[in-house]
Amino acid sequence: MAYLGNPIPANFQAPPAVVRFNGDASTTTFALGRTVGSVQEILVSVDGVVQDTSAYTVPDGSTLTFTAAPSSGTNNIFVYFLDLSAGSVTPAAENKGNFKNGGMFRTNAQALDTNITILATENAQVTGTLTVNSGITLTINDGGRLVIS
């Protein structure tokens, strides 16, 4: 299935992979080395001829299975993965935010319970009242900025 949504940032992509196999006129199964969702995600060529998807299947998602054994040859079977491999990034819990009503509202705590320093190169914002708990230090370095709205 094609990727839907915003383009994946380039630094989280790997270029499409290619694998080659040697045909021996009797072997019909080849391990792809990665998983695909369907035959639509790969392009298969034997002896330089692109194969119709009716000539092969990927029954378990990772094994290329031909309906008839490909001819003998060195690297004569060529599999090109059409989809980009995308990694995922999971932000730390404190960076996810607390949202309500489908993201319409973002909520935040009203009390500071951890020592914090806003560096000279940083801007920070708090919405609503802010209580700095007893024994907690909020430091704003010269040049740093905290806005409470």
Side-chain angles (χ1 to χ4, degrees), residues 133-146:
N133 288 345
S134 178
I136 299 299
T137 303
L138 170 60
T139 305
I140 304 170
N141 286 349
D142 187 33
R145 184 178 178 123
L146 172 63

Side-chain angles (χ1 to χ4, degrees), residues 6 28 39 50 67 114:
N6 293 326
T28 59
V39 294
V50 174
T67 54
T114 306

